């Protein structure tokens, strides 16, 4: 069984350094060989690519732009009436992904519009999402890129986010019917909304293109106090033959480096002595 490949999410890790290029360098010094850049859009992509290449980091995930944050937007994929803005954001994301050498884009669904009810809006939002996902899949296919759908929990993190469960995401993927769209499964969100992690991972494994981790409920390091037995889950993913990346999307309890003991322990348990994850 091949060991897992971990990627540092640089919106969450190494925030002791304010500049994104510095975070890339810090992640590489810590031993990471891959990084997620959810929102790289304030930076010159050529600069980020140079820094990553020099540091030996693969850039493995970006998000589509969130939309108008001042109006409470958090993605546009499923938001009725915002199709044109979604397509503009997708074009920007593809431009950045090409410049960064990144092959995966998280296509953010977005929130149920303020002042509306989820149940009433669900049919229109799903139809909008399917329309936008088919458009995105065709654009991404031209670049040999993958689109990802990530359910986010509505119980703790975002009560208004549209896409909330693996079951919902899988049903939408089936309706869209595009081979370059996959499920991005975040263990933190999945445990909160679904639980039953073993069966959930086994059931949806054929659809999973990316995984992220964070302990529940605090969203801290995997070895922090919480509900999830990550050593067991890591073994399960290995036994299933998972070959994608595992994004470290959590808030360190203190200094990022000091909180990487869980990662050292993982590699020591696999007989790896060098710092190479």
């Amino acid at each position: 069984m091949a060991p897992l490949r971990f990627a540092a999410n640089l919106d969450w890790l190494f925030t002791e350094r304010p500049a994104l290029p510095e975070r890339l360098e810090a992640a590489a010094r810590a031993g990471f060989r891959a990084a997620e850049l959810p929102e790289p859009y304030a930076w010159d992509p050529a600069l980020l690519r140079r820094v990553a290449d020099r540091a030996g980091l693969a850039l493995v995930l970006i998000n589509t732009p969130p939309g108008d944050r001042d109006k409470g937007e958090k993605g546009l994929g499923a938001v009725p009436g915002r199709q044109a803005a979604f397509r503009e954001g997708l074009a920007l994301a593809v431009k950045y992904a090409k410049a960064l050498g990144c092959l995966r884009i998280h296509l953010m669904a977005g929130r149920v519009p303020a002042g509306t009810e989820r149940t009433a809006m669900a049919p229109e939002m799903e139809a909008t999402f399917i329309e936008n996902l088919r458009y995105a899949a065709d654009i991404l296919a031209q670049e040999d890129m993958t689109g990802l759908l990530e359910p986010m929990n509505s119980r703790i993190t975002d009560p208004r986010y549209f896409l909330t469960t693996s079951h919902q995401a899988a049903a939408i993927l089936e309706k869209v019917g595009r081979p370059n769209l996959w499920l991005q499964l975040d263990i933190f969100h999945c445990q909160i909304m679904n639980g039953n992690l073993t069966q959930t991972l086994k059931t949806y494994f054929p659809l999973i293109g990316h995984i992220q981790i964070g302990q529940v409920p605090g969203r801290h390091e995997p070895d922090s106090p919480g509900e999830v037995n990550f050593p067991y889950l890591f073994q399960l993913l290995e036994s299933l033959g998972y070959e994608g990346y595992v994004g470290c999307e959590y808030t360190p309890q203190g200094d990022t480096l000091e909180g990487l003991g869980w990662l050292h322990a993982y590699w020591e348990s696999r007989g790896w002595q060098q710092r190479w994850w």
Side-chain angles (χ1 to χ4, degrees), residues 22-49:
E22 294 177 2
R23 294 181 192 179
L24 286 166
E25 293 169 344
R29 284 195 300 270
F32 284 98
R33 292 296 176 263
E36 302 174 345
L37 305 182
E39 294 188 33
Y41 302 108
W43 294 90
D44 176 3
L47 169 64
L48 297 177
R49 177 67 178 272

